[in-house]
């Protein structure tokens, strides 16, 4: 895989082999872990476990993006995420934290309290000011692909050519990021967003197409419906499928695995290293 060095607000993150980003949702309604981490003790225990299991990044989210999830207010999102960020940053100052938000104000407040990566599921299409925030604080920006708005992104799944259309989207958005002065961009093809199950598997099969952008590619497959619906199980029973999909993603060029289950993802990385060492 290609070697990357990201400047995370002055802290250098070297990706010379695949790394794991741990999902920490401080929400009451996320599709898998909603409601589990709503007080400081549970949040810190989970953060500690994720870091001990091998996570390089902890991605903190305050608003669910599952189908039919409520789009909460900016104030409510800030209320949910600021104290957890402050607490994790205080207890684990060396940890690299990411904020999962499409709002520039939320991103900036998160960065001011210890976050050093911005993860925007809208790819900069909902709030263009988020580019300015990433540039201002020297934060890598994760750009995800979706179609439509936050309200319609789970319904719009129309492509002339799946791979070409998504590649063109990233060319436009990465160029925009560059125009704003952002040095480091990470690509997320958006598994489960604006794609049918078949389209998701076509993307996974052809994930290496996106490595031509010369940016790290993140695979967010953890316990998603493309896995559990295919097997006719629930998200709770989709860990094995997640590990299989993560391994395929690594084989097809993913630099980062975004997961709920860090230990198992690290095992995928370890096997990949043995195969490619």
């Amino acid at each position: 895989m290609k070697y990357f060095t990201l400047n995370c607000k002055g802290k250098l993150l070297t990706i010379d082999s695949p790394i794991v980003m741990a999902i920490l949702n401080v929400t009451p309604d996320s599709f898998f872990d909603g409601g589990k981490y709503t007080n400081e003790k549970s949040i810190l225990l989970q953060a500690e476990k994720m870091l001990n299991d091998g996570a390089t990044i902890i991605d903190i989210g305050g608003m669910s993006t599952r189908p039919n999830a409520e789009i909460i207010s900016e104030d409510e999102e800030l209320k949910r995420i600021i104290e957890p960020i402050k607490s994790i940053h205080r207890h684990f100052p060396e940890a690299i934290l990411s904020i999962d938000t499409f709002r520039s104000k939320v991103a900036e407040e998160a960065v001011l309290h210890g976050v050093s990566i911005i993860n925007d599921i809208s790819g900069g299409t909902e709030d263009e000011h988020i580019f300015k925030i990433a540039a201002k604080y020297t934060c890598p920006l994760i750009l995800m692909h979706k179609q439509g708005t936050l309200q319609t992104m789970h319904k719009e799944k129309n492509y002339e050519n799946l791979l070409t259309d998504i590649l063109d989207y990233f060319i436009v958005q990465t160029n925009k990021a560059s125009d704003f002065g952002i040095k480091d961009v990470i690509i997320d093809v958006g598994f489960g967003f604006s794609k049918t199950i078949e389209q998701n598997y076509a993307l996974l099969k052809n994930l290496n197409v996106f490595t031509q952008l010369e940016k790290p590619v993140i695979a967010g497959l953890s316990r998603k419906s493309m896995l559990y619906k295919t097997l006719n199980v629930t998200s709770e029973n989709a860990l094995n499928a997640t590990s299989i999909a993560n391994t395929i993603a690594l084989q097809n060029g993913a630099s980062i695995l975004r997961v709920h289950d860090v230990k198992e993802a690290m095992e995928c990385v370890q096997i990949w290293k043995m195969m490619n060492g």
Side-chain angles (χ1 to χ4, degrees):
M1 62 169 281
K2 186 175 171 58
Y3 181 102
F4 298 100
T5 300
L6 308 179
N7 185 348
C8 302
K9 216 170 65 174
K11 184 182 296 184
L12 294 182
L13 170 59
T14 298
I15 307 177
D16 52 5
S17 65
I19 63 171
V20 171
M21 169 187 273
I23 301 166
L24 184 53
N25 288 319
V26 289
T27 60
D29 59 344
S30 290
F31 80 94
F32 174 65
D33 56 357
K36 288 186 179 180
Y37 313 113
T38 54
N39 62 69
E40 185 179 35
K41 182 179 179 180
S42 64
I43 288 166
L44 287 175
L45 283 172
Q46 181 66 359
E48 183 177 37
K49 181 180 187 302
M50 289 169 160
L51 292 169
N52 288 341
D53 284 346
T56 299
I57 304 165
I58 296 180
D59 190 38
I60 300 162
M63 188 180 86
S64 176
T65 53
R66 63 175 175 77
N68 302 314
E70 177 189 3
I71 298 178
I72 61 173
S73 69
E74 190 174 77
D75 287 344
E76 177 63 23
E77 188 178 1
L78 283 166
K79 181 180 174 183
R80 290 179 183 180
I81 59 105
I82 292 301
E83 288 305 319
I85 289 169
K86 289 166 63 176
S87 184
I88 295 170
H89 184 57
R90 183 169 63 250
H91 285 84
F92 309 103
E94 296 305 309
I96 296 175
L97 307 183
S98 169
I99 180 64
D100 180 359
T101 187
F102 62 89
R103 291 172 167 138
S104 60
K105 181 180 177 182
V106 173
E108 182 165 31
E109 288 297 317
V111 170
L112 290 173
H113 288 93
V115 157
S116 55
I117 296 175
I118 299 170
N119 180 11
D120 182 2
I121 67 157
S122 83
T125 62
E126 289 284 336
D127 181 354
E128 195 173 85
H129 192 64
I130 207 163
F131 289 110
K132 293 183 180 179
I133 301 303
K136 178 180 178 181
Y137 296 100
T138 320
C139 295
L141 180 62
I142 302 172
L143 298 176
M144 195 193 82
H145 171 269
K146 67 169 182 60
Q147 289 185 340
T149 65
L150 294 174
Q151 291 88 349
T152 65
M153 64 185 176
H154 291 291
K155 299 174 183 177
E156 298 197 22
K157 302 168 184 176
N158 301 310
Y159 300 89
E160 289 186 19
N161 181 291
L162 179 72
L163 298 177
T164 302
D165 288 0
I166 296 176
L167 190 60
D168 287 346
Y169 166 91
F170 281 123
I171 290 170
V172 171
Q173 294 307 102
T174 55
N175 284 341
K176 186 176 292 186
S178 180
D179 290 342
F180 275 92
I182 297 169
K183 303 297 184 185
D184 297 314
V185 170
I186 300 167
I187 298 300
D188 182 348
V189 298
F191 289 109
F193 292 86
S194 311
K195 288 105 184 163
T196 65
I197 288 178
E198 292 75 17
Q199 287 167 344
N200 282 311
Y201 281 99
L203 270 181
L204 180 57
K205 181 179 179 180
N206 295 284
L207 194 62
N208 58 2
V209 165
F210 300 93
T211 62
Q212 67 184 281
L213 294 166
E214 300 287 307
K215 311 287 186 188
V217 174
I218 188 168
L221 293 150
S222 186
R223 298 181 179 267
K224 286 194 169 175
S225 62
M226 63 178 280
L227 304 175
Y228 66 76
K229 286 184 179 178
T230 296
L231 300 177
N232 196 28
V233 296
T234 63
S235 61
E236 288 76 14
N237 294 309
L239 178 54
N240 187 50
T242 298
S243 294
I244 294 167
N246 280 336
T247 304
I248 295 168
L250 292 174
Q251 289 177 320
N252 290 339
S255 296
I256 305 171
L257 299 178
R258 182 178 183 272
V259 301
H260 299 91
D261 310 279
V262 175
K263 177 178 178 289
E264 290 78 3
M266 289 298 297
E267 290 173 352
C268 296
V269 170
Q270 189 173 352
I271 297 298
W272 179 90
K273 286 182 178 178
M274 288 298 295
M275 291 291 293
N276 295 275

